[in-house]
Amino acid sequence: MKVTIKSGGVGEVRADLLAIPMTQSSKNGRPSLPRGVAALDTTLGGVIKAALQSDDFKGAESDRLVVYPTTSQPAVRRVLLVGLGDTASLNAEKQRHLAAAASSVARDRGHERVAVLARPTRTLDASATAAALAEGAVLGAYRYDRYQSKARKAGKKSPRPRSVSLVFDDLAGPTAVRQAAAGAVIGAESQACARDLSNAPPNEMTPLALAAAARAAAREANLRCRVLRGVELERLGARALLAVGGGSAHPPCLIVLQHPGRGRAAKQKPLALVGKGITFDSGGLSLKPSNSMTEMKHDMSGAAAVIGAMRAIGKMDLAEPVVGVIAAAENMPSGTAYRPGDIVTAASGKTIEVLNTDAEGRVVLADALHYTREKFAPRAMVDLATLTGATMVALGPWGTAAMGNNDALIEELRAAGDQASERVWPMPLLPEHYRAIKSPVADIKNTGGPSAGASTAGAFLGEFVGDTPWAHLDIAGTGWNSHRTPYHRGGATGVGVRMLLAWIQAGVQRFA
Ligand code: BES
Ligand code: MN
Ligand code: ZN
């Protein structure tokens, strides 16, 4: 989607749909008109004023109203009033909601020229406002409809919001604002790319199809891509990954994406992003009940986030060198499946007693984390995984659980999550959690009993990171959800992409 920056106020706008942010004054709670809107309204026949006088629209959060000009050939064919609640709380997330409301309505009704009135605040300057609006505009127009015959037939011919212009009053430095918006569009489109991968049906999105998608992203974003499979995995001793993938007709693979970085920064050790890529999780021989299986195509959402983030990192050509590593496999029951009771030797040499084949994510990540550490000696390693139902119970769809061996790193990710409005919440990794996964017959076992399921899973991963600064992000609750938000309609959320970008772009790593 094209996002353009317009300076010169709302009086100049020509659009099929103009979205106007409406906040409530902290003094009397009444909606207040942004600058220039009263004058525009006069040319539209006073329809905005009439709507406000009717009391039908109060400007409260999630209040929406479309009004139609009564004058002939108006510059703006419809006005979408978007309530954002009290003036004092106009933050980046509300700016995203504003633009998402505009692009979502436009997408549903086929309006092509969309404009959004931008309203920077004392705490959110023009660049930050433009970035948040650009993200909202891209995400609000996202639909997963490629398997719907109607949408497919209409195809490219159906009217779509192809460009969204963000309308500012007079801008002092339009170039910086344009740059901020362009970066944000790349980030949000990469998040949409992650959503697409995760929403794809599991009969299409096999481990090798995921690898092909990573290759395609690499081509687009100028990244290196390698895919290790079969004998190459045997040679690495990646028996944990091979064990999990062994039950499926679709073989497992390890996907490696590399962004070399730029300038002096490129000489440093890379940052590493590691993703769980279970393309379908039936539970294996420890088969899931049917109801728990319906959403398990999303079990590669960690991998999707890594591919999305790497795509953006490459496209923005960030200075920081970054590698992305994905353990891709399908967890299926069959005559060649791994079993409860099996003991497998991971690439690191540690032995794993398999007690439950449904705890497969940690098993494949064991090899991915070890490989990443050995191969790249990263400055820091962050894994993303839809790892445990326990995290979903603890934080619901509202928070990503973070744990690891480095508090400074976790704090950076938490702060990046705040900036991106993708909440990251620290959880403990205690010596007791490590003790809970000791096995009587092998080095460790792949389940830690009924207590502290999120943390015992984290401790299992911790067995494979050595002293590399490491954080584990459990996105089981945040990776997908069924409820709608202003820029999400259910299904994959693409969580992690914006947060990781915010983290890497912050550029001040204090964990080392
Ligand atoms: N992919 C699931 C975790 C999951 C569950 C993600 C629900 C999102 C929603 C994972 O592989 C799994 O099955 N975990 C088990 C582990 C248990 C057997 C120790 C779980 O959490 O129940
Ligand atoms: Mn599982
Ligand atoms: Zn799983």
Side-chain angles (χ1 to χ4, degrees):
M1 181 187 282
K2 236 178 87 188
V3 174
T4 56
I5 304 293
K6 296 253 160 69
S7 180
V10 78
E12 312 278 302
V13 179
R14 302 270 170 288
D16 297 318
L17 177 79
L18 167 67
I20 297 182
M22 301 288 290
T23 56
Q24 295 171 305
S25 126
S26 44
K27 280 190 219 106
N28 55 20
R30 297 200 54 84
S32 53
L33 283 182
R35 190 150 21 126
V37 172
L40 171 75
D41 190 33
T42 311
T43 72
L44 304 178
V47 291
I48 298 175
K49 209 167 133 213
L52 297 187
Q53 274 165 356
S54 75
D55 244 11
D56 288 357
F57 180 89
K58 299 204 167 61
E61 225 179 314
S62 75
D63 259 4
R64 306 276 187 271
L65 189 70
V66 180
V67 294
Y68 298 86
T70 50
T71 47
S72 78
Q73 302 203 320
V76 170
R77 303 195 40 198
R78 317 168 177 73
V79 174
L80 172 66
L81 301 176
V82 182
L84 297 173
D86 68 285
T87 312
S89 67
L90 187 52
N91 55 17
E93 182 68 350
K94 288 194 175 177
Q95 304 275 9
R96 286 187 201 98
H97 291 180
L98 162 64
S103 68
S104 180
V105 166
R107 170 79 197 242
D108 286 342
R109 305 196 191 163
H111 308 321
E112 296 192 31
R113 296 173 308 158
V114 182
V116 179
L117 180 54
R119 207 170 142 180
T121 66
R122 231 175 297 137
T123 47
L124 209 66
D125 67 11
S127 290
T129 301
L133 289 172
E135 287 169 354
V138 172
L139 295 173
Y142 178 83
R143 301 288 184 271
Y144 189 70
D145 57 8
R146 65 182 60 186
Y147 290 97
Q148 292 183 316
S149 314
K150 224 167 103 191
R152 249 157 92 153
K153 269 192 218 116
K156 289 216 158 67
K157 277 186 289 232
S158 76
R160 293 247 168 116
R162 293 198 199 289
S163 82
V164 172
S165 40
L166 310 179
V167 183
F168 287 82
D169 286 337
D170 294 311
L171 276 176
T175 315
V177 176
R178 281 200 180 98
Q179 270 166 4
V185 168
I186 293 175
E189 282 180 348
S190 300
Q191 182 174 358
C193 158
R195 285 179 176 180
D196 273 345
L197 296 177
S198 186
N199 281 328
N203 56 333
E204 305 275 339
M205 190 50 68
T206 61
L208 287 179
L210 189 62
R215 275 226 176 81
R219 259 194 308 276
E220 232 188 313
N222 213 6
L223 306 166
R224 276 193 60 190
C225 179
R226 261 195 85 196
V227 179
L228 308 175
R229 43 195 282 204
V231 281
E232 289 161 303
L233 293 180
E234 304 259 2
R235 235 178 274 134
L236 287 177
R239 306 222 58 91
L241 174 59
L242 286 163
V244 171
S248 169
H250 304 286
C253 60
L254 197 71
I255 305 165
V256 183
L257 290 167
Q258 277 178 273
H259 170 69
R262 207 167 21 79
R264 264 192 25 202
K267 295 206 181 72
Q268 312 173 77
K269 299 276 185 214
L271 300 173
L273 310 176
V274 179
K276 168 177 172 181
I278 298 296
T279 59
F280 182 70
D281 182 10
S282 70
L285 289 171
S286 313
L287 197 65
K288 284 181 184 295
S290 313
N291 283 342
S292 316
M293 220 187 278
T294 48
E295 286 175 325
M296 284 302 145
K297 67 171 185 180
H298 292 300
D299 212 17
M300 32 58 72
S301 295
V306 170
I307 294 173
M310 291 302 297
R311 175 189 185 273
I313 289 163
K315 282 207 150 198
M316 295 186 210
D317 198 15
L318 299 185
E320 214 63 60
V322 188
V323 299
V325 176
I326 287 158
E330 186 182 40
N331 189 22
M332 295 292 264
S334 80
T336 56
Y338 77 142
R339 322 156 186 78
D342 280 2
I343 295 178
V344 297
T345 306
S348 76
K350 280 195 178 156
T351 54
I352 301 168
E353 181 192 10
V354 177
L355 287 181
N356 189 322
T357 62
D358 197 12
E360 84 297 336
R362 63 197 77 181
V363 178
V364 300
L365 284 171
D367 281 346
L369 289 166
H370 175 76
Y371 172 83
T372 306
R373 194 167 97 77
E374 285 280 292
K375 176 93 182 169
F376 300 106
R379 254 179 313 142
M381 192 152 71
V382 177
D383 77 75
L384 295 95
T386 47
L387 205 63
T388 65
T391 291
M392 218 159 84
V393 171
L395 301 177
W398 302 292
T400 292
M403 55 202 98
N405 61 8
N406 189 303
D407 288 344
L409 172 59
I410 290 170
E411 172 51 26
E412 285 179 15
L413 295 169
R414 198 202 53 72
D418 275 359
Q419 203 193 319
S421 300
E422 293 185 343
R423 203 182 276 114
V424 170
W425 207 266
M427 300 265 270
L429 255 191
L430 306 173
E432 287 82 351
H433 299 134
Y434 281 92
R435 220 167 296 142
I437 54 160
K438 289 280 171 243
S439 161
V441 293
D443 295 335
I444 50 176
K445 55 187 181 185
N446 80 331
T447 59
S451 310
S455 291
T456 55
F460 183 99
L461 301 181
E463 293 283 349
F464 297 90
V465 302
D467 51 12
T468 305
W470 156 75
H472 157 59
L473 301 174
D474 193 331
I475 58 169
T478 48
W480 71 87
N481 62 47
S482 44
H483 73 262
R484 289 168 71 133
T485 72
Y487 51 78
H488 181 250
R489 301 216 152 191
T493 58
V495 77
V497 174
R498 289 203 327 270
M499 182 271 297
L500 290 170
L501 290 175
W503 174 54
I504 293 171
Q505 285 183 292
V508 270
Q509 274 98 29
R510 292 169 298 267
F511 49 77

